[in-house]
Amino acid sequence: MTDKHDAPTSSPEGKPAAKKVEVDDDGEPSVVMVTGGSGLVGQAIKAYTDEKAAENETWIFLSSKDGDLRDRKETEAIFEKNKPTHVIHLAAKVGGLFANMAQKVEFYRENTLINDNIMECCRIHKVKKLVSMLSTCIFPDKTKYPIDETMLHDGPPHPSNEGYAYAKRLIDTMNRAYAEEYGCNFTAIIPTNIYGPHDNFSIQNGHVIPGLIHKCYLAKKNNTDFTIWGSGSPLRQFIYSLDLAELSVWVMREYHSPDPITLSVDESAEVPIKDVALAVAKAMKFEGKVVFDTEKADGQFKKTACNKKLRGFRPDYKFVSMEDGIQKSVDWFLENYETARK
């Protein structure tokens, strides 16, 4: 094992010297444990590593049936059983707008318990690398665009999800603290809007693309209009889950800094919701009428994220196009309609 990133003896701000962050490149066998392994991103990582796992890597994908990560003893038992050398931490208590507004205490406490148990168990068990997943929704409510990794703590999050947001922000704070105090190689990824196979296709509680896919499916089946809430003008960046999976594995293997990294398509790939809806209709072979219900609110016009940091490391990475990603997602939904979350 070597130390690629020697910490300075003192920082410009006069902070205590950080310990050296140990980086594993010794070629020894790795056991990579993925929390939240049954969800959208976990299943994408599974699909990617089934094809592209390194020879010395064993992958373990946890689901809620493997134990309650809110409980310290159960979390410790999971670490004792699996003995991970690397952890990708995706598990979280998540929910829609109304759940976040009504249960701020639970969203804060449960996520804080989960994250604290995972991080401390990683330290105790000398895990070589921990990658945790954050979200662009935890950024300050009032900010300038595009947002980047340095702006995470520049102001309060939107009041509607402040319980969830502050719990997630603490991951970033503690990644640096664990690096400084214990030399732990902990970091975080910040994806933009994710979509793909194994998503939650609920029309009420799902995200934009899976919700539109399900809605378009029903419109085609029932021979009704495909109605989209709002004008379709808001802009969003979408990342296909298999792209996020590939980049998350790259972060685990190659990116060694406690500072988070945004995993997003380029700013030029930001698209209006109208284009997304029309791409869904095309992929579904829907030939009926597409209607935009402008009586419904549009929400925030844009939430542009900057991927300059990622491009510094991966300038030539080619993302799956929105059209191809939506076609793959529609095909998966149709093939797995009976069992898909909806």
Side-chain angles (χ1 to χ4, degrees):
M1 183 178 288
T2 60
D3 294 334
K4 285 186 186 172
H5 298 267
D6 291 359
T9 53
S10 64
S11 69
E13 297 86 359
K15 295 175 184 173
K19 291 202 173 185
K20 292 178 180 179
V21 172
E22 290 195 332
V23 177
D24 169 47
D25 61 356
D26 52 18
E28 290 182 3
S30 299
V31 176
V32 189
M33 186 172 78
V34 181
T35 73
S38 61
L40 168 65
V41 181
Q43 286 296 298
I45 292 175
K46 186 176 188 306
Y48 175 73
T49 56
D50 282 348
E51 299 282 330
K52 302 274 181 74
E55 284 184 18
N56 64 338
E57 289 175 353
T58 301
W59 289 78
I60 297 168
F61 294 86
L62 301 180
S63 69
S64 54
K65 71 176 186 293
D66 291 297
D68 185 350
L69 296 177
R70 296 170 299 184
D71 184 278
R72 179 59 178 270
K73 284 191 168 61
E74 290 195 33
T75 307
E76 287 177 349
I78 288 169
F79 275 75
E80 289 286 354
K81 176 184 176 184
N82 295 300
K83 296 180 170 51
T85 59
H86 298 68
V87 174
I88 297 179
H89 176 38
L90 309 174
K93 177 180 173 66
V94 296
L97 173 65
F98 297 108
N100 268 282
M101 290 173 67
Q103 301 173 41
K104 290 181 184 180
V105 172
E106 287 74 22
F107 276 91
Y108 172 78
R109 290 195 68 245
E110 292 183 31
N111 281 304
T112 301
L113 286 167
I114 290 168
N115 300 335
D116 182 66
N117 287 337
I118 289 293
M119 297 179 102
E120 184 64 356
C121 282
C122 283
R123 179 190 72 82
I124 291 167
H125 289 262
K126 296 180 169 55
V127 166
K128 296 173 182 176
K129 181 70 173 283
L130 167 64
V131 180
S132 299
M133 188 165 74
L134 307 183
S135 164
T136 52
C137 74
I138 72 174
F139 274 79
D141 178 37
K142 293 178 172 59
T143 188
K144 63 182 189 293
Y145 292 96
I147 53 175
D148 67 36
E149 299 86 353
T150 66
M151 299 158 67
L152 183 58
H153 303 281
D154 284 357
H158 193 278
S160 65
N161 77 328
E162 60 186 349
Y164 175 84
Y166 279 117
K168 283 289 193 179
R169 284 186 184 190
L170 281 173
I171 290 176
D172 176 53
T173 303
M174 295 311 296
N175 282 340
R176 291 192 301 276
Y178 271 101
E180 287 175 11
E181 188 172 343
Y182 294 107
C184 295
N185 191 1
F186 294 178
T187 194
I189 54 175
I190 309 173
T192 44
N193 300 278
I194 316 159
Y195 71 101
H198 301 278
D199 209 337
N200 178 357
F201 291 84
S202 166
I203 293 171
Q204 295 300 325
N205 300 315
H207 289 122
V208 177
I209 290 179
L212 288 174
I213 288 172
H214 192 184
K215 189 179 273 192
C216 188
Y217 169 85
L218 293 176
K220 182 178 179 180
K221 179 183 175 186
N222 300 324
N223 199 26
T224 56
D225 292 346
F226 175 27
T227 303
I228 292 89
W229 291 351
S231 68
S233 60
L235 302 169
R236 295 292 182 269
Q237 288 157 295
F238 295 96
I239 182 167
Y240 184 55
S241 60
L242 271 294
D243 285 346
L244 178 59
E246 181 176 351
L247 291 170
S248 299
V249 173
W250 166 76
V251 167
M252 185 200 77
R253 293 172 180 161
E254 305 291 341
Y255 174 80
H256 303 300
S257 166
D259 296 324
I261 184 167
T262 300
L263 302 183
S264 170
V265 297
D266 303 318
E267 291 173 51
S268 60
E270 196 171 41
V271 291
I273 300 299
K274 180 178 181 180
D275 289 5
V276 176
L278 295 175
V280 167
K282 181 181 177 184
M284 191 69 74
K285 296 182 172 58
F286 175 76
E287 296 176 355
K289 190 176 179 184
V290 179
V291 177
F292 292 88
D293 182 1
T294 53
E295 295 294 310
K296 297 283 195 302
D298 269 339
Q300 198 167 331
F301 178 68
K302 65 187 296 180
K303 300 180 180 181
T304 317
C306 171
N307 72 352
K308 184 178 179 181
K309 187 174 188 176
L310 171 65
R311 283 303 189 193
F313 291 101
R314 302 291 303 269
D316 300 321
Y317 185 80
K318 289 186 168 51
F319 289 91
V320 170
S321 71
M322 187 192 70
E323 291 78 11
D324 288 348
I326 286 177
Q327 186 66 64
K328 292 173 191 286
S329 302
V330 166
D331 292 345
W332 185 90
F333 179 73
L334 295 174
E335 288 166 16
N336 297 274
Y337 180 78
E338 294 304 322
T339 53
R341 286 185 294 162
K342 56 187 183 299

